[in-house]
């Protein structure tokens, strides 16, 4: 241990004599280690960090699956059966997300909450820091216990950390609720990226979601579930047991439960299927920063080799005096580890900056998005281990090379010491590696940017230009259906009268939003499957002129009109995919007009298909075509609606007038999620934008490091060939010949690096296809352009030392040797 301490002290003193070298080495390593630390913190948040609950290893998300592994959710009756009849879970809870209207100081604020089963906090083992959580009786009967638990962030943000809040009554959706507790600061619920303001028992559903009558409907799919495994029960064993129970329920309720299955996954995502997408996305970014680290380490190895040449006489003297070669190797490794640890410390600071930069990429969502990418002990340990590993692995080769000396030439301090050729080959190989990895990163960024450009011109099934949207929920203000219908009718009329407005309409769903609804669909006269095997279609309720306002063409039939009244024949409009999948025998969309479908059963009640709309993108831009059904709001009214406005000019110019019209009708109604349709499109393009930005940034860093590396190799080569250049010029070679000689050496390295990089990039291109959203960018053009840019940068890096070599005075060079 004492000798190691001595090595560290000597290494620090030795490095202190070369501050320029230390600065370049530490910065180089900091770039690689900092980028890896930042990306690992993202993976840590997604995969490793447990929920802040008792025994988090026992907590599992219980996900319901249907036909083709489609994600479903629990109905309340199914939840009761699984809660009471399972043999592997000690407890099972359900929850869903719900907006609320908080009336405070004469103002209404739109906030977000969890609706939870009464055993929510007991199952998780979470206790209130003030007051208490829900008791079992507060969830047994409807509308008998108007109580609420406030989250710690909600307590701070909505109530200014009022120390006397517990016990007070607050007004939610125009109903009084009693605050009974405040959750711990670290607990944000069962999701990683969603922090609610409050928790409300599901027994108060009719106050929280006015007009909701589906809680006792076994066919409804509205609740997410999380369970706690019994001690000693594994996840696979529990999943098998729960699927046996699912099969039993399928026999008891075949029309609803047939075809349903259960899978257990780690909790933490609003939509369980997002987990795989987020994990894949994080791993792609992690792979990118690992490449950056390799480039940085190759650069460090090159720097250490160059420094070893400066120390060859010192090393030769120590070897001549009897020093053990392996003792010298340990000393040199110690110095490289000291450098890498210093780089790791600076890298941690850089990681904090990168994390803050990542957090600026926030998708335009209407709910509170909380991304806690912090540097916990796992991230710190990762940073330390990667620093140590970097120092040892990439310091070993230079240490071995620099201690393999021919003593006599080295003691004379000449360039002919043994191992020179192998050292040059190693430095060249390191530069080739840097160039190849830089090319891979830059090509990856180029492909994503190309895909992003194509996505921006892709037709999503509607026209996002010259349109804006605004959301509202009159149900949270206590409106009934009749009053709500009158409000929206007046609002559309008033908005359409505004200058610059071409048309306006209301809808319950805007394409490429996360909050979609779906329903089982039955076709009249067709033999139908049962339960989860019934075809599913996305559904929305829209007002007259919706398709005109959205710019979605009607291919056959007609759009909804005010004549589609509540007491008239029930109508629906379907999309092309619906026609292809559920009416496979039809030769054209027009033949679907007059067909009848049902959302309840194969025996009806049925609605008439009056139109067929063009396909579009509904959930995300990369999705396969989905069946979609629209019904008129006049026949299927919802209290929460989204206003869509089509304008003649800039849609942002009508946002103020639209707000004024809403205030004129109801000055207390909160208006939220107000944006242009082009701003709304940013949500679907968000992953591609982040990928393009991150890959581009890391590719640029790798390119800079590679250029520095090839510049260093060329400069070193010039210094080693000073005598050769002097002889060539003395024998008649001119400056152009010398320039061509040095540039050809650098160009050879660049060419080898580009060729290897192209081969690797071609193989790895498949790994980023998930980021390309099904788009095929111009691969050949991207490869050629990026290769050209990298080659030009490499030649430019070679030109400076080559130009310096061309100015060599032969007499000075020969006298120096």
């Amino acid at each position: 241990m004492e000798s190691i301490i001595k090595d560290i002290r000597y290494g620090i003193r030795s490095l202190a004599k070369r501050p320029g070298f230390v600065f370049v080495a530490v910065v180089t390593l900091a770039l690689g280690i900092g980028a890896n630390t930042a990306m690992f913190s993202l993976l840590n948040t997604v995969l490793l960090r447990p929920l802040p609950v008792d025994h988090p290893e026992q907590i599992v998300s219980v996900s319901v699956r249907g036909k083709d592994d489609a994600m479903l959710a629990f109905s309340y009756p199914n939840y009761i059966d699984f809660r009471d009849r399972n043999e592997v879970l000690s407890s099972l809870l359900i929850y869903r997300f719900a907006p609320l209207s908080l009336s405070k100081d004469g103002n209404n604020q739109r906030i977000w909450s969890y609706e939870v089963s009464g055993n929510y906090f007991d199952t998780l083992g979470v206790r209130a820091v003030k007051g208490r959580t829900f008791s079992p009786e507060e969830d047994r009967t409807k509308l008998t216990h108007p109580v609420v638990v406030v989250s710690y962030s909600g307590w701070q943000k909505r109530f200014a950390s009022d120390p006397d809040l517990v016990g007070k009554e607050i007004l939610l959706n125009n109903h009084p609720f009693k605050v009974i507790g405040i959750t711990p600061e670290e607990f944000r619920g069962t999701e990683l990226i969603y922090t609610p303001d409050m928790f409300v028992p599901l027994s108060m559903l009719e106050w929280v979601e006015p007009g909701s009558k589906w809680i006792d409907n076994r066919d409804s799919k509205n609740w997410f579930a999380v369970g706690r495994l019994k001690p000693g029960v594994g996840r696979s064993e529990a999943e098998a047991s729960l699927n046996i129970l699912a099969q039993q329920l399928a026999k008891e309720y075949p029309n609803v439960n047939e075809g349903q299955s259960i899978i257990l996954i780690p909790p933490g995502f609003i939509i369980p299927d997002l987990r795989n997408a987020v994990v894949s996305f994080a791993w792609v970014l992690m792979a990118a920063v690992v490449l950056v680290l390799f480039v940085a380490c190759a650069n460090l190895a090159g720097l250490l080799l160059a420094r070893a040449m400066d120390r060859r006489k010192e090393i030769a003297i120590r070897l001549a005096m009897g020093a053990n070669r392996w003792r010298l190797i340990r000393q040199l490794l110690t110095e490289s580890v000291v450098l890498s640890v210093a780089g790791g410390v600076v890298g941690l600071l850089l990681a904090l900056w990168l994390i803050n930069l990542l957090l600026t990429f926030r998708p335009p969502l209407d709910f509170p998005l909380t991304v806690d990418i912090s540097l916990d002990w796992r991230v710190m340990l990762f940073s330390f281990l990667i620093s140590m590993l970097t120092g040892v692995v990439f310091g070993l080769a230079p240490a071995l090379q620099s201690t393999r000396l021919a003593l006599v030439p080295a003691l004379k301090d000449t360039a002919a010491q043994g191992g020179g050729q192998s050292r040059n080959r190693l430095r060249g190989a390191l530069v080739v590696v840097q160039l190849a990895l830089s090319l891979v990163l830059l090509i990856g960024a180029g492909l994503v940017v190309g895909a992003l450009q194509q996505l921006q011109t892709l037709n999503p099934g509607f026209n996002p230009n010259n349109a804006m949207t605004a959301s509202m929920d009159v149900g949270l203000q206590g409106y009934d259906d009749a009053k709500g219908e009158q409000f929206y009718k007046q609002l559309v009329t008033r908005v359409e009268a505004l200058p610059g407005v071409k048309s306006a309409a209301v809808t319950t769903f805007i394409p490429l939003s996360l909050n979609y609804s779906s329903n089982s669909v039955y076709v009249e006269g067709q033999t139908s499957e049962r339960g989860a095997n019934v075809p599913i279609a996305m559904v929305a309720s829209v007002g007259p002129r919706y398709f005109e306002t959205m710019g979605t063409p009607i291919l056959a039939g007609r759009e909804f009109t005010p004549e589609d009244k509540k007491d008239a024949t029930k109508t629906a409009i379907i999309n092309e995919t619906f026609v292809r999948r559920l009416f496979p025998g039809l030769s054209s969309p027009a033949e679907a007009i007059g067909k009848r479908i049902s959302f309840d059963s194969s025996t009806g009640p049925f609605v008439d298909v009056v139109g067929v709309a063009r396909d579009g993108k509904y959930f995300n831009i990369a999705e396969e075509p989905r069946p979609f059904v629209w019904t008129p709001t006049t026949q299927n009214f919802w209290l929460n609606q989204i206003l869509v406005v089509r304008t003649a000019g800039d849609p942002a110019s009508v946002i103020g007038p639209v707000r004024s019209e809403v205030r004129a009708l109801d000055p207390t109604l909160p208006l939220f999620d107000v944006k242009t349709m082009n701003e709304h499109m940013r949500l679907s393009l968000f992953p591609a934008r982040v990928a393009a930005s991150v890959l581009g940034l890391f590719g640029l860093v790798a390119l800079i490091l590679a250029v520095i590396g090839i510049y260093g190799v060329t400069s070193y080569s010039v210094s080693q060939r000073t005598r050769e250049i002097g002889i060539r010029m003395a024998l008649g070679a001119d400056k152009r010949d010398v320039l061509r000689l040095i540039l050809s050496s650098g160009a050879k390295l660049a060419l080898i690096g580009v060729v290897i990089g192209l081969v690797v990039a071609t193989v790895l291109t498949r790994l980023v296809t998930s980021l390309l959203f099904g788009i095929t960018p111009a691969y050949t053009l991207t490869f050629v352009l990026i290769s050209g840019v990298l080659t030009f940068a490499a030649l430019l890096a070679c030109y400076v030392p080559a130009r310096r070599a061309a100015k060599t005075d032969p007499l000075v060079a020969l006298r120096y040797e």
Side-chain angles (χ1 to χ4, degrees):
M1 186 65 184
E2 184 178 350
S3 61
I4 294 178
I5 294 175
K6 288 181 179 179
D7 285 345
I8 294 174
R9 288 175 178 172
Y10 180 82
I12 293 175
R13 289 198 303 270
S14 177
L15 292 172
K17 297 176 182 178
R18 298 287 186 273
F21 165 79
V22 172
F23 175 79
V24 174
V26 168
V27 170
T28 299
L29 284 170
L31 289 172
I33 296 174
N36 276 266
T37 301
M39 288 301 104
F40 178 79
S41 65
L42 175 60
L43 280 176
N44 177 53
T45 299
V46 174
L47 294 178
L48 303 179
R49 186 183 300 165
L51 293 175
V53 300
D54 284 350
H55 299 289
E57 72 282 357
Q58 297 176 346
I59 300 297
V60 291
S61 176
V62 185
S63 180
V64 183
R65 299 290 158 153
K67 185 178 181 180
D68 299 325
D69 201 34
M71 190 197 78
L72 305 177
F74 278 92
S75 65
Y76 185 72
N78 272 346
Y79 156 69
I80 296 298
D81 284 329
F82 274 92
R83 183 194 67 185
D84 297 341
R85 296 169 57 178
N86 86 85
E87 299 177 349
V88 289
L89 301 175
S90 60
S91 186
L92 181 68
L93 64 87
I94 54 172
Y95 62 98
R96 62 184 268 109
F97 316 103
L100 294 169
S101 177
L102 171 65
S103 301
K104 189 170 179 287
D105 300 327
N107 296 315
N108 290 328
Q109 306 173 31
R110 178 180 165 87
I111 65 174
W112 280 87
S113 71
Y114 272 115
E115 287 179 88
V116 301
S117 54
N119 63 346
Y120 182 86
F121 293 103
D122 289 341
T123 299
L124 297 174
V126 174
R127 296 160 188 82
V129 292
K130 288 180 178 291
R132 62 176 177 84
T133 57
F134 301 128
S135 59
E137 60 270 13
E138 287 170 334
D139 188 35
R140 287 176 181 163
T141 53
K142 298 178 182 178
L143 301 179
T144 56
H145 292 84
V147 294
V148 62
V149 173
V150 179
S151 71
Y152 196 91
S153 62
W155 177 51
Q156 292 180 315
K157 182 169 56 176
R158 306 295 179 183
F159 302 99
S161 302
D162 180 2
D164 301 318
L165 180 63
V166 175
K168 288 184 177 180
E169 282 194 347
I170 59 175
L171 206 60
L172 300 174
N173 296 357
N174 287 329
H175 295 289
F177 282 76
K178 182 180 179 181
V179 177
I180 62 171
I182 298 172
T183 63
E185 182 175 7
E186 67 276 7
F187 179 73
R188 300 185 178 95
T190 33
E191 302 296 339
L192 292 175
I193 60 174
Y194 169 82
T195 301
D197 291 305
M198 299 179 186
F199 300 83
V200 185
L202 64 81
S203 61
M204 303 306 299
L205 175 68
E206 293 180 27
W207 282 11
V208 175
E209 299 185 64
S212 299
K213 306 294 184 183
W214 40 258
I215 188 168
D216 295 319
N217 183 1
R218 189 175 290 272
D219 194 27
S220 65
K221 303 173 181 66
N222 304 94
W223 300 95
F224 298 113
V226 167
R228 179 176 290 278
L229 297 172
K230 289 182 177 180
V233 176
R235 185 179 299 176
S236 57
E237 176 188 351
E239 187 174 291
S241 177
L242 291 173
N243 275 299
I244 293 174
L245 177 56
Q247 293 170 10
Q248 294 172 359
L249 293 175
K251 293 178 181 178
E252 297 172 19
Y253 308 100
N255 290 333
V256 176
N257 285 48
E258 188 172 290
Q260 289 188 2
S261 61
I262 300 293
I263 65 169
L264 302 183
I265 58 178
F269 283 90
I270 292 174
I271 300 175
D273 283 11
L274 283 178
R275 178 180 178 82
N276 291 336
V278 172
V279 170
S280 299
F281 181 73
W283 275 118
V284 169
L285 296 185
M286 192 71 197
V289 296
V290 167
L291 293 183
V292 173
L293 180 62
F294 282 155
V295 173
C297 291
N299 205 303
L300 172 66
L303 290 172
L304 291 173
L305 279 174
R307 185 166 185 265
M309 287 304 302
D310 292 337
R311 301 176 64 185
R312 62 186 184 274
K313 189 170 184 179
E314 170 202 339
I315 294 172
I317 291 173
R318 295 176 69 177
L319 287 171
M321 294 181 68
N324 183 279
R325 184 191 174 200
W326 294 109
R327 180 68 180 80
L328 290 177
I329 291 173
R330 193 182 77 181
Q331 173 62 54
L332 295 173
L333 277 178
T334 300
E335 293 180 17
S336 66
V337 169
V338 168
L339 277 176
S340 62
V341 170
V345 172
V346 178
L348 274 177
L349 300 177
L350 178 62
L352 287 172
W353 177 80
L354 286 173
I355 288 171
N356 291 330
L357 180 64
L358 284 174
L359 293 179
T360 62
F361 290 92
R362 289 182 176 270
L365 297 174
D366 173 42
F367 60 84
L369 183 67
T370 303
V371 184
D372 181 20
I373 309 179
S374 56
L375 302 183
D376 61 12
W377 67 269
R378 295 178 189 82
V379 178
M380 303 289 281
L381 179 62
F382 172 82
S383 181
F384 174 76
L385 291 177
I386 200 172
S387 299
M388 296 294 292
L389 188 64
T390 296
V392 173
V393 173
F394 290 90
L396 183 60
L400 291 172
Q401 282 284 353
S402 43
T403 56
R404 189 182 296 129
L405 293 172
L407 292 181
V408 174
L411 289 171
K412 292 180 178 179
D413 201 20
T414 67
Q417 80 276 12
Q421 285 298 107
S422 61
R423 229 184 317 270
N424 289 337
R425 285 194 295 269
L426 179 58
R427 288 173 61 87
L430 292 172
V431 170
V432 168
V433 169
Q434 293 178 66
L435 290 171
L437 295 179
S438 301
L439 184 66
V440 171
L441 278 172
L442 288 170
I443 285 178
L447 292 177
V448 176
V449 169
L452 182 60
Q453 290 176 339
Q454 291 190 45
L455 285 171
Q456 291 174 332
T457 61
L458 188 68
N459 182 6
F462 60 93
N463 181 10
N465 299 316
N466 300 108
M468 57 84 59
T469 70
S471 302
M472 61 212 80
D473 190 344
V474 296
L476 302 184
Q477 301 300 103
Y479 285 43
D480 58 18
D481 285 1
K483 188 178 178 182
E485 287 183 72
Q486 185 65 22
F487 172 87
Y488 288 119
K489 184 177 180 180
Q490 291 178 349
L491 178 62
V492 169
T493 301
R494 297 174 71 123
V495 169
E496 286 189 320
L498 291 172
V501 172
K502 299 174 67 175
S503 65
V506 291
T507 177
T508 58
F509 171 76
I510 294 292
L512 300 175
S513 298
L514 294 178
N515 58 332
Y516 72 92
S517 297
S518 60
N519 213 101
S520 301
V521 180
Y522 305 83
V523 175
E524 184 182 29
Q526 291 186 8
T527 302
S528 177
E529 299 285 349
R530 297 187 300 186
N533 295 318
V534 176
I536 299 290
M538 295 181 69
V539 295
S541 180
V542 301
R545 301 188 73 184
Y546 165 79
F547 293 92
E548 175 190 347
T549 304
M550 287 294 294
T552 299
I554 297 292
L555 304 180
R558 65 173 176 85
E559 189 170 350
F560 297 130
T561 70
E563 300 305 315
D564 294 301
K565 298 179 180 178
K566 188 170 297 184
D567 55 356
T569 301
K570 299 298 187 288
T571 57
I573 294 174
I574 59 178
N575 69 345
E576 297 172 273
T577 299
F578 191 103
V579 175
R580 287 194 299 270
R581 293 189 184 177
L582 280 84
F583 299 115
L586 302 185
S587 58
S588 69
E591 295 181 28
I593 305 302
K595 298 290 186 181
R596 302 210 302 168
I597 61 175
S598 172
F599 300 111
D600 296 314
S601 71
S602 58
T603 58
F606 292 101
V607 301
D608 290 355
V609 175
V610 298
V612 177
R614 177 172 291 171
D615 274 345
K617 301 294 185 179
Y618 306 113
F619 182 63
N620 66 67
I621 205 75
E623 69 187 9
E624 295 296 323
R626 296 170 177 249
F628 206 109
V629 182
W630 295 268
T631 58
T633 56
T634 49
Q635 297 177 348
N636 186 26
F637 180 73
W638 289 74
L639 289 166
N640 57 308
Q641 300 275 355
I642 304 169
L643 176 69
V644 185
V645 182
R646 171 72 54 189
T647 62
D650 182 8
S653 64
V654 303
I655 290 178
V658 167
R659 288 185 181 275
S660 297
E661 294 301 331
V662 173
R663 283 196 298 268
L665 289 171
D666 186 344
T668 66
L669 178 65
L671 198 62
F672 58 94
D673 210 17
V674 181
K675 58 193 173 185
T676 67
M677 195 67 79
N678 281 323
E679 289 173 335
H680 170 74
M681 287 289 291
R682 287 167 45 204
L683 175 61
S684 58
L685 299 177
F686 176 73
R689 290 184 186 277
V690 174
S693 301
V694 174
L695 288 175
L697 174 64
F698 292 152
L700 181 61
V701 170
L703 175 61
I704 293 173
L705 292 175
V707 168
I708 292 173
I710 197 169
Y711 172 81
V713 166
T714 306
S715 296
Y716 176 73
S717 175
V718 168
S719 66
Q720 293 294 97
R721 300 174 70 177
T722 300
R723 185 169 182 271
E724 174 194 344
I725 293 171
I727 293 174
R728 286 177 179 272
M729 297 187 74
L731 293 175
D734 58 19
K735 293 183 178 181
R736 286 177 299 179
D737 295 325
V738 174
L739 195 66
R740 190 183 305 112
L741 174 69
I742 303 302
L743 282 177
S744 64
S745 177
K748 185 186 299 183
L749 292 177
L751 180 62
I752 295 173
V754 167
V755 170
I756 294 175
L758 286 174
V759 173
V760 176
T762 302
V763 174
L764 295 183
T765 294
R766 299 181 181 272
L767 297 181
V768 297
T769 52
S770 60
L771 296 177
L772 301 184
F773 294 91
I775 302 297
T776 304
Y779 285 99
T780 303
L781 181 62
T782 302
F783 277 51
V784 170
L785 285 178
I786 299 297
S787 300
V789 168
L790 186 65
T791 302
F792 175 77
L795 291 177
L796 191 63
C798 296
Y799 176 75
V800 175
R803 190 166 177 270
R804 186 171 64 247
K807 294 180 179 180
T808 300
D809 186 333
L811 293 178
V812 174
L814 293 173
R815 187 184 306 120
Y816 173 79
E817 288 295 325

